[in-house]
Amino acid sequence: MEEKARVETLKQKGPLGAEELRRMDAYWRAANYLSVGQIYLLDNPLLREPLKPEHVKPRLLGHWGTTPGLNFIYVHLNRLIRARDLNMIYVTGPGHGGPALVAQTWLEGSYSELYPHVTLDADGMQRLFKQFSFPGGVPSHTAAETPGSINEGGELGYSLAHAYGAAFDNPDLVVACVVGDGEAETGPLATAWHSNKFLNPARDGAVLPILHLNGYKIANPTVLARIPRAELESLFVGYGYKPHFVEGAEPERMHQQMAATLDRIFDEIREIQQRARREPLGERPRWPMLILVSPKGWTGPKELEGKKLEDHWRSHQVPFGEVRTKPEHLKVLEQWMKSYRPEELFDEHGAPRPELSALAPQANRRMGANPHANGGLLLKDLYLPDFRDYAVEVPRPGGVLGEATRTLGVYLRDVMKANAPSRNFRVVGPDETASNRLGALFEVTGRAWVAERLPTDEANLAPDGRVLEILSEHTCQGWLEGYLITGRHGLFSCYEAFIHIVDSMFNQHAKWLKVTREIPWRRPIASLNYLLTSHVWRQDHNGFSHQDPGFLDVVMNKKAEVVRVYLPPDANTLLYVADQCLRSRNFVNVIVAGKQEQAQWLTMDQAIKHCTPGIGIWAWASNDADGEPDVVLACAGDVPTLETLAAVDLIRQHLPSLKVRVINVVDLMTLQPKEEHPHGLSDREFDGLFTTDKPIIFAFHGYPWLIHRLTYRRTNHKNLHVRGYKEEGTTTTPFDMVVRNDLDRYHLVADVIDRVPGLGYRAAHVKQLLRDKLIEHQEYIKEYGEDTPEVRDWKWPY
Amino acid sequence: MEEKARVETLKQKGPLGAEELRRMDAYWRAANYLSVGQIYLLDNPLLREPLKPEHVKPRLLGHWGTTPGLNFIYVHLNRLIRARDLNMIYVTGPGHGGPALVAQTWLEGSYSELYPHVTLDADGMQRLFKQFSFPGGVPSHTAAETPGSINEGGELGYSLAHAYGAAFDNPDLVVACVVGDGEAETGPLATAWHSNKFLNPARDGAVLPILHLNGYKIANPTVLARIPRAELESLFVGYGYKPHFVEGAEPERMHQQMAATLDRIFDEIREIQQRARREPLGERPRWPMLILVSPKGWTGPKELEGKKLEDHWRSHQVPFGEVRTKPEHLKVLEQWMKSYRPEELFDEHGAPRPELSALAPQANRRMGANPHANGGLLLKDLYLPDFRDYAVEVPRPGGVLGEATRTLGVYLRDVMKANAPSRNFRVVGPDETASNRLGALFEVTGRAWVAERLPTDEANLAPDGRVLEILSEHTCQGWLEGYLITGRHGLFSCYEAFIHIVDSMFNQHAKWLKVTREIPWRRPIASLNYLLTSHVWRQDHNGFSHQDPGFLDVVMNKKAEVVRVYLPPDANTLLYVADQCLRSRNFVNVIVAGKQEQAQWLTMDQAIKHCTPGIGIWAWASNDADGEPDVVLACAGDVPTLETLAAVDLIRQHLPSLKVRVINVVDLMTLQPKEEHPHGLSDREFDGLFTTDKPIIFAFHGYPWLIHRLTYRRTNHKNLHVRGYKEEGTTTTPFDMVVRNDLDRYHLVADVIDRVPGLGYRAAHVKQLLRDKLIEHQEYIKEYGEDTPEVRDWKWPY
């Protein structure tokens, strides 16, 4: 109630002097003018001649509704940046309000610095207008092309997680994040509000969430705009914030309200940060947030042909069309644009008048030029310990057992430690870091936690923790994306099946990377590294819902220049791959590796030799030394490798004269043609490995058709037979999982027998033996609930 | 504060008489005993002999932490069901507490009715224990196998949306939905709380959300357990609920508190419903919800070897292991199980004592036997108008323009109308029903909306609306799944790119369907129908972030018996396909169809003839009548079909002697081998269509490799050349989109020329012409931002 009374007072007078208010309003009008111009005009940008149909774009595209609000906020944040010398970036959830960001960055000059042909004059303004949503021009949404942007404005839901990701470990940064009330309905956004329990006010920067309540989506009101204000306030108090409201439509009063409220908010932020940096963290701070209630399509035409436009969903996109064909529409457009009084805003050359330009922050303080929004500029290489120092000793292939991810955990611990001073490395995951056996990390850091702690908690729950865990894959991914795009490094470890939860976020990030590669001023950023563990073959205990290796198929749809997939079969190969991934730039790297105890195959030297090309013959497992093999057994993935080697053992025992070549694939992209992927083998190399005419039995970690998709152009594709996950599973034993999908050693040997001609009388005998083994397996697990000792205890015996 | 005082009083005395309390507590102990038994025991189920290592499972799997809480709630809901004759189902978000549901349904008898071998005696109990998380047995999570379940307990996040889906149009149903505080961190769950703005208390049933705050996840505290209670209360007030707290650990007091609170809650529910059914809906009701604060692993061992177990994350799964090897662990297990005093709970045969059984509801009122949780039992066929009545008149191929989804909208309107009395059909979508041109629906129904309405709103925003729109694909999908599994029908319309947001939910639903097909008592339910529109080729205006046809790849990974994919090329084929989908059962049907105005190809008779096999030669577009063609042009999808026909026109003009066969594919599954999918063509049929040796140029809607994956075993695969989306796009024109991906008419003709031998001197000439056309296109759109009139106005001229 106090708040409301205060706001009432401020409507009358406020912190802005008359001149400052006039100029800020002019700046806002300039941005709005430029926004409308982008949506509508091809030419005559300053309206210095009467508007004619041919000045208007034949095809009208763009979103007006959110744009004036975004402009309003930007102008006010500029004031704060100047007044307090703030280091601030602007994340726009309603990214379809792209015209606002383009307009603002042009006004402040950062746009023309990055795109010199879009000059700060009438010609440049005309180019600015024409290029918007125009072929060969710029997208209608905030995108990688937009200066100052770290958040694609296409798919909604991720702005707030991105904002927090950007703020982590950037103590001096303020991330202003506008959340549209449409976006606020998405699940990822609805849970991202809880990120405030993971932000340490001493070590991290500040996030200022601005809920932009303009009431409407494409064709509906928004939920949050149609609940009582008290309920809305309660919601954000419940999320742990201190909400401040700015509400209205009358520009002058809104400017005063906004300026006063932002002053107060930034005082609160400063107070929280100063206290936290002065004394140990006590109670979790209640960070301020802003709820801006302004009409959708604010300052646009109130209505047209009897239909409400301003403050209605009809102004969501282009508020009215048919401008070339209906003279009255042309008139309305001209009046609308002239209502901003462009002659007051731009000088005779079309440049913003100096009194306006003076309102923009300077140099890197401009939000379109802040280096945090072009993180590659700030990126420092990680200090990486020598991964060879973490090698598992492998006296002979299969001679020791090891847990690949536990070994990796020790390496990651030292990566974390080595880079602690730089504060630029984070590990994220949905409550699974320990479960995924990366627990060694907790020897050197904790789990970030700013909420309440109890004496019974493990010591590794700490405000200073560098491991981020929340039971939301969306939030994990969003945080990490925000962290990477602003120039830092990280790793996301996740159960393999549930990484599908972020398929669409992965898609958007891969698209972002693809586009940034084509933008000269966007500097390379660290790759997004996934460690997928607790994978399909070792989710026998959790059952069918936890069994899905299909993320690889989603990944492989993206541009070859952006994606990498690795399936290291043991600990030493995993170490090599992880080191590569952490060094790489602008990729999405997917590593699939198990966490269970399993035989180790390669010494570190062998691992390096094998992983460098990413594919190779395992001579020690093959017996084709003096010529062509009779059959090729290929494998990719730790469990398929194990089953393949067990199959080789059976073949040596029962079909000793058969010449077998074993190929292991670590880098899945090697299978693709060279023309399709930079890692792809040439046909000659491929034929050299896989032969041109021998049967190939390929044991694959994922869905089998992925291998066919990668290899269908290869010479010997017709002889390729792939086993993999065929969507069979339940709660059962590890070995039963492979049996149900015909990927087990017995089926693999049977596949060999079926495909190699001339095996003679022994073949039938061996097949009977395999059948007996399978029946024995079925009966044993039915009785004991465990795999047979023969299977469990099998070791490579050579 | 009042509430707290009230609760304090109730701790002392409460609504339960001493005898009722004693028996309810015994029932709870019985369920807990049976839950622990499932996790640990192979044999000696009643502990009538001293527990020995061989009685214990060699491999311990399962989740104890949430289980006693789930049991506690179930016992209390049983009381309510009996006292008020409620029609209730139980949705368990913490579905990994599977042992609880199995225990409860066994106790109430519903389990043994569905699984007669698991009898209500000592033998049955032993089977119940052994089968749990045992190969060939039942999953460790709540799953399709679990009586009374509509929510898979694997991937977290969807319980509450499922619950609301179940409640829609079931005015007498109460859906009790337990939300774990872990699950509550997920995005989908965090936004699903807002479903209360879409539930009409007059027409729909009630949802009782029960937030089970037991404090911990796998290895961390939960966020909601570590914010002040006042903040938590505020959060749920903000979500629009009236939260009630039950908190404690001492059983007697907890029973009294719980009984008193539930009495009050159900009074409130009754009051809301009665008022809403008596008078027009005024203000949106504040539905009650319950927050149950109880220790994780409640009633389990307090600690072991100095480590806290109860009320700690260590009790999340199996609280302690090594029971076969450590005698002291065996002892702790025995003491723990005996602490429930099994001798008081089960009679000499091992059956629950009659005084306990008397506490369970009767017949279909038992939550394990409620038919709503086996929706196929209640499923009624939709009344479907004759889709032929909605046909677009097509005087000759390409002779008229039409908008496929708008035509479908008229049909759906009449489906909606015809089934209005049955209240069993819903359309869901993320604010896109009108944008996707299904607006005709609003002639007969509105958008469901129980939040505030304004005079300026369209009339179609209504509490009675049957179209559900929220800007959350997760919520749309969750609602629809809940609606379908409880025996109703529906359709989800979505932008194609953003359906990836629910990849993982689709996965889980497809898995659910696969498993239900193998469970005799699960009756078939209506298929989950997706209409993907605003698709990749017509998102030129929204840009790269909106361009992704990869959902098809995700779908095709699931079991062939469950998934169907259709790409109707025009309105009449879309009508046919939609009718088929709405009639089908137990599938996921994906229909991809554009919303833009486009040439119509087939009359309704032709459409039926074409869609029945789902693939066929378009003779009117082909000129190979008297023999084998020189080339096959195949197409799937509306835009690829258009480009293919335009290519055929160019070929007829410039290479008139070339014999072209045009094949259109509506049902993508026909391409797969017959052995892989029931819709698959035999090799003979396939070869008859695609020839065994002629070049095939296949223009495909999605990523091209999907076609290779489906056809790599076909005879003529080596001559198959597929064009499709190769991840190129931006904000541009429709035709430029196909050009950027080499899918346009000019590239297709060039592909033909490159692959058909012996075209002679004309070929070079035509290729030059095509190159000129492409340059002309580039220049035109650069200048005007639109496609050339030649492209825009092209019509099939024959």
Side-chain angles (χ1 to χ4, degrees), chain A residues 59 185 191 217-218 220 226 231 286 431 447 457 469 503 511 540 547-548 557-558 705, chain B residues 59 185 191 217-218 220 226 231 286 431 447 457 469 503 511 540 547-548 557-558 705:
Chain A
R59 196 164 174 239
E185 294 177 15
T191 203
K217 295 170 288 192
I218 303 181
N220 274 303
R226 296 300 178 89
E231 212 171 282
R286 269 61 174 172
D431 191 27
R447 296 173 167 99
D457 288 335
E469 294 198 325
D503 274 4
K511 283 174 181 282
D540 45 284
Q547 296 159 1
D548 191 304
N557 277 342
K558 297 296 125 181
W705 32 85
Chain B
R59 197 164 175 239
E185 293 176 15
T191 201
K217 297 170 287 193
I218 304 181
N220 274 305
R226 297 299 179 88
E231 212 170 284
R286 268 60 174 172
D431 191 28
R447 295 173 168 99
D457 288 335
E469 293 197 327
D503 275 4
K511 282 174 181 283
D540 44 286
Q547 296 159 359
D548 191 304
N557 276 344
K558 297 295 127 183
W705 31 85

Side-chain angles (χ1 to χ4, degrees), chain A residues 445-691:
Chain A
T445 189
R447 296 173 167 99
W449 192 261
V450 187
E452 284 169 31
R453 286 178 290 157
L454 299 179
T456 47
D457 288 335
E458 302 290 303
N460 58 38
L461 212 60
D464 267 332
R466 306 193 58 74
V467 174
L468 289 160
E469 294 198 325
I470 183 171
L471 212 166
S472 163
E473 286 80 359
H474 292 113
T475 309
C476 291
Q477 171 92 14
W479 284 343
L480 184 56
E481 288 178 2
Y483 198 69
L484 298 174
I485 294 179
T486 51
R488 282 81 61 78
H489 305 262
L491 177 96
F492 182 0
S493 99
C494 190
Y495 278 30
E496 183 183 40
F498 301 148
I499 198 68
H500 270 301
I501 291 170
V502 296
D503 274 4
S504 211
M505 296 183 77
F506 153 77
N507 270 344
Q508 296 298 332
H509 189 72
K511 283 174 181 282
W512 175 277
L513 290 177
K514 187 235 178 200
V515 173
T516 59
R517 297 176 82 100
E518 297 157 6
I519 301 171
W521 60 267
R522 282 268 175 203
R523 306 298 295 273
I525 60 169
S527 301
L528 172 52
N529 300 307
Y530 291 103
L531 174 67
L532 304 187
T533 181
S534 303
H535 63 52
V536 54
W537 302 111
R538 290 294 183 264
Q539 284 293 327
D540 45 284
H541 57 302
N542 274 321
F544 194 41
S545 64
H546 286 55
Q547 296 159 1
D548 191 304
F551 186 63
L552 300 187
D553 299 79
V554 174
V555 169
M556 299 294 282
N557 277 342
K558 297 296 125 181
K559 274 299 192 195
E561 73 225 35
V562 170
V563 295
R564 301 288 182 268
V565 176
Y566 300 99
L567 296 141
D570 65 3
N572 289 337
T573 49
L574 174 60
L575 285 169
Y576 177 92
V577 165
D579 173 82
Q580 287 291 305
C581 293
L582 290 175
R583 288 177 196 281
S584 73
R585 297 288 180 266
N586 273 356
F587 295 149
V588 176
N589 296 307
V590 183
I591 309 172
V592 185
K595 68 184 183 185
Q596 308 289 349
E597 195 167 67
Q598 206 193 265
Q600 301 296 305
W601 308 112
L602 304 186
T603 66
M604 185 47 87
D605 282 350
Q606 290 169 328
I608 293 169
K609 214 164 154 188
H610 181 52
C611 293
T612 305
I615 183 170
I617 296 172
W618 279 5
W620 53 267
S622 309
N623 63 348
D624 64 335
D626 35 12
E628 281 272 288
D630 299 313
V631 62
V632 175
L633 290 186
C635 48
D638 51 10
V639 167
T641 299
L642 175 73
E643 291 305 315
T644 296
L645 291 170
V648 170
D649 181 22
L650 286 167
I651 292 169
R652 288 205 193 174
Q653 288 177 49
H654 301 291
L655 298 162
S657 62
L658 196 67
K659 284 191 203 145
V660 175
R661 174 180 295 173
V662 175
I663 294 176
N664 181 270
V665 183
V666 174
D667 176 350
L668 204 58
M669 306 317 212
T670 57
L671 299 177
Q672 279 185 289
K674 211 175 177 59
E675 304 71 37
E676 299 287 324
H677 196 282
H679 292 192
L681 296 183
S682 71
D683 279 336
R684 196 174 157 169
E685 290 166 322
F686 192 94
D687 294 348
L689 287 173
F690 288 93
T691 80

Side-chain angles (χ1 to χ4, degrees), chain B residues 462-484:
Chain B
D464 267 333
R466 306 193 59 72
V467 173
L468 289 160
E469 293 197 327
I470 183 170
L471 213 165
S472 163
E473 286 79 0
H474 293 113
T475 309
C476 291
Q477 171 92 14
W479 284 344
L480 183 56
E481 287 179 1
Y483 198 69
L484 298 174

Side-chain angles (χ1 to χ4, degrees), chain A residues 222-235, chain B residues 164 168 192-202 204 233-243 268 271-273 275-276 279-289 448-453 462-463 479:
Chain A
T222 59
V223 168
L224 295 186
R226 296 300 178 89
I227 61 176
R229 287 285 185 275
E231 212 171 282
L232 185 67
E233 187 167 1
S234 195
L235 182 63
Chain B
Y164 276 94
F168 290 136
W193 297 106
H194 288 299
S195 303
N196 54 7
K197 284 93 192 178
F198 300 85
L199 187 88
N200 179 340
D204 302 322
E233 186 167 2
S234 195
L235 183 63
F236 288 100
V237 168
Y239 274 129
Y241 295 90
K242 183 174 173 189
E268 288 174 11
E271 203 183 310
I272 290 170
Q273 290 186 329
R275 191 184 328 121
E279 56 198 52
L281 190 67
E283 213 184 327
R284 199 192 81 233
R286 268 60 174 172
W287 293 92
M289 70 164 297
W449 192 262
V450 187
E452 284 170 30
R453 286 179 290 157
W479 284 344

Side-chain angles (χ1 to χ4, degrees), chain B residues 188-259:
Chain B
L189 204 295
T191 201
W193 297 106
H194 288 299
S195 303
N196 54 7
K197 284 93 192 178
F198 300 85
L199 187 88
N200 179 340
R203 179 193 49 180
D204 302 322
V207 173
L208 170 59
I210 302 170
L211 178 69
H212 188 197
L213 207 70
N214 70 21
Y216 296 92
K217 297 170 287 193
I218 304 181
N220 274 305
T222 60
V223 168
L224 295 186
R226 297 299 179 88
I227 61 176
R229 288 285 184 274
E231 212 170 284
L232 186 68
E233 186 167 2
S234 195
L235 183 63
F236 288 100
V237 168
Y239 274 129
Y241 295 90
K242 183 174 173 189
H244 298 254
F245 284 83
V246 170
E247 177 161 4
E250 197 284 304
E252 272 197 29
R253 287 189 178 186
M254 285 293 278
H255 283 302
Q256 292 289 15
Q257 257 200 73
M258 184 75 167

Side-chain angles (χ1 to χ4, degrees), chain A residues 751-765:
Chain A
D751 284 340
V752 169
I753 292 173
D754 289 346
R755 277 163 188 81
V756 176
L759 286 180
Y761 72 97
R762 284 197 63 84
H765 168 73

